[in-house]
Amino acid sequence: MTSDATPVDRDEFARRRDALVERIFGSAIAMMDLLTVYLGERLGLYQALAQDGPLTPPELAARTGTHARYARE
């Protein structure tokens, strides 16, 4: 049985594999960034910062009714 497809050498395979892994990892990081922005908006963190200016995590938590740990993160 013969094939017209040329086999990809090991270096090319490794390059393509690494490029795919990097792309998937970058997409996962971007998704997490979007999730944190979404949560910050839903929890009112951005609105509190816009109204009151810079706040410490405990101050931000008190103004938004969240736990200081989440405000810090």
Side-chain angles (χ1 to χ4, degrees):
M1 182 171 170
T2 62
S3 173
D4 292 336
T6 57
V8 178
D9 67 20
R10 291 180 192 265
D11 290 339
E12 179 65 13
F13 176 80
R15 186 190 65 74
R16 288 182 183 185
R17 179 203 60 214
D18 293 347
L20 177 62
V21 168
E22 188 174 325
R23 183 175 173 199
I24 291 170
F25 183 73
S27 294
I29 295 296
M31 187 260 324
M32 294 301 294
D33 286 342
L34 286 174
L35 179 61
T36 58
V37 169
Y38 171 77
L39 288 174
E41 191 278 326
R42 294 290 294 173
L43 294 173
L45 302 178
Y46 297 118
Q47 183 177 2
L49 290 169
Q51 289 174 351
D52 300 327
L55 300 168
T56 65
E59 292 170 336
L60 182 58
R63 283 180 176 72
T64 60
T66 59
H67 193 279
R69 175 177 175 232
Y70 299 120
R72 181 176 47 254
E73 291 178 8

